[in-house]
């Protein structure tokens, strides 16, 4: 074996939601590689070189990290949330495929708290029964496939978590997703818009699917849609959204 590469999840934002494993890896690192806002969350120190890069260069970023690791540097690739959820872990393995010179690099993935779980915890327990996660960005897949998955997930009565719901470059996608969901679900189940969870800008909004509007989401929002049994519990301290654990036979 020559070289070691760590792929770490920084969690949704709050320092105390970074796992001790990830903090230890960062404390030992000589180099940190990742998308600009994620690298900005790593505290600079002597002996640590930060390599922030723009979005959409995931393959190049992964290759850069692997070549530094192969040279013996202690490299950590950072993602927000969990690195295996719509993030860098897959990009690194894709970059590794067919590259014999990196066969000896030991790769370790350190989990993090992904956005949907941090958001679900804030809202109550909307993902307490079966659910799925769908990336609504059509950068890496055709829109028709997204629509198909939305319809099939609704048919299977899964709760759903939506990542990358809406960006300035594709404002119409989420509006279309809402239309498809309204048609496929046909009810007013709760939809949660959880923005910047665990940061000072955190904001949560729960509305019936029938009243959800595209402007309620942006790229810092993860959206959770319940299944047909998901309900809002009115409590003195504030509403709780939860999905019962069982489905009657
Ligand atoms: N690997 C990340 C997801 C990267 S995709 C993870 O596991 O969380 C980026 C998307 O994640 C954003 O568009 C948004 O939908 C979601 N996201 C990331 N951090 C978030 C946060 N603190 N609050 C709400 N959504 C967040």
């Amino acid at each position: 074996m020559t070289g070691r590469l760590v792929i770490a999840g920084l969690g949704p934002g709050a320092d105390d939601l970074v796992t001790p494993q990830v903090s230890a890896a960062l404390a030992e690192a000589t180099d940190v590689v990742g998308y600009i806002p994620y690298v900005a969350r790593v505290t600079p120190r002597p002996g640590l070189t930060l390599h922030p890069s723009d979005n959409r260069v995931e393959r190049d970023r992964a290759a850069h990290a692997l070549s530094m690791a192969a040279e013996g540097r202690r490299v950590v690739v950072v993602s927000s949330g969990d690195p295996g959820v719509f993030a860098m872990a897959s990009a690194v393995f894709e970059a590794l495929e067919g590259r014999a010179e990196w066969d000896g690099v030991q790769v370790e993935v350190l989990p993090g708290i992904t956005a949907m779980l941090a958001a679900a915890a804030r809202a109550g327990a909307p993902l307490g029964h079966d659910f799925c996660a769908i990336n609504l960005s059509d950068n890496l897949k055709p829109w028709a496939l997204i629509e198909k998955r939305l319809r099939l997930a609704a048919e299977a009565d899964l709760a759903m978590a939506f990542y990358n719901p809406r960006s300035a470059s594709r404002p119409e996608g989420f509006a279309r997703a809402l239309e498809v969901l309204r048609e496929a679900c046909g009810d007013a189940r709760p939809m949660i818009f959880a923005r910047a969870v665990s940061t000072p800008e955190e904001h949560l909004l729960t509305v019936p699917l029938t009243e959800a509007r595209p402007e309620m989401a942006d790229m810092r929002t993860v959206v959770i849609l319940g299944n047909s049994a998901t309900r809002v519990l009115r409590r003195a301290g504030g509403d709780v959204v939860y999905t019962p654990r069982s489905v009657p036979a």
Side-chain angles (χ1 to χ4, degrees):
M1 280 282 170
T2 53
R4 176 170 180 256
L5 179 67
V6 171
I7 312 167
L10 296 175
D15 286 344
D16 58 0
L17 294 182
V18 179
T19 70
Q21 248 186 5
V22 169
S23 298
L26 289 171
E28 284 179 1
T30 56
D31 299 86
V32 169
V33 174
Y35 178 38
I36 299 159
Y38 306 153
V39 172
R41 285 172 53 191
V42 177
T43 313
R45 59 172 164 76
L48 175 66
T49 308
L50 301 176
H51 305 269
S53 50
D54 202 355
N55 221 352
R56 302 192 184 219
V57 292
E58 290 188 350
R59 275 287 192 104
D60 299 347
R61 187 191 291 149
H64 180 213
L66 282 159
S67 51
M68 286 194 294
E71 286 163 15
R73 302 189 67 84
R74 294 189 299 278
V75 184
V76 178
V77 175
V78 290
S79 284
S80 75
D82 181 274
V85 178
F86 311 131
M88 282 306 292
S90 294
V92 169
F93 292 119
E94 277 178 41
L96 267 179
E97 263 198 83
R99 299 289 292 263
E101 71 272 32
W102 290 331
D103 239 10
V105 178
Q106 183 197 335
V107 179
E108 195 178 355
V109 183
L110 303 183
I113 296 178
T114 187
M116 70 177 173
L117 298 185
R122 280 284 194 267
L127 304 178
H129 191 75
D130 298 344
F131 67 91
C132 64
I134 300 178
N135 184 347
L136 290 185
S137 165
D138 60 356
N139 283 341
L140 301 171
K141 62 189 167 192
W143 176 259
L145 182 60
I146 298 178
E147 239 182 83
K148 179 179 175 185
R149 288 184 176 156
L150 295 176
R151 288 188 194 283
L152 291 173
E155 188 186 329
D157 201 15
L158 295 171
M160 304 172 216
F162 302 120
Y163 286 74
N164 294 309
R166 190 162 175 262
S167 74
S169 60
R170 7 163 230 102
E172 68 295 335
F174 188 56
R176 179 71 192 129
L178 285 177
E179 280 173 29
V180 170
L181 290 168
R182 273 197 271 268
E183 188 189 302
C185 298
D187 61 11
R189 65 189 63 185
M191 184 171 242
I192 302 157
F193 291 87
R195 181 171 195 276
V197 176
S198 89
T199 78
E201 293 88 49
E202 176 176 302
H203 180 72
L204 258 79
L205 171 71
T206 302
V207 297
L209 173 58
T210 43
E211 288 169 30
R213 291 194 314 276
E215 318 77 70
M216 290 173 178
D218 65 7
M219 283 307 273
R220 294 191 72 192
T221 308
V222 67
V223 181
I224 296 178
L225 178 64
N227 71 11
S228 61
T230 303
R231 39 193 180 255
V232 180
L233 189 65
R234 310 277 174 208
R235 303 194 71 235
D239 292 353
V240 170
V241 184
Y242 85 99
T243 304
R245 292 209 53 207
S246 56
V247 172

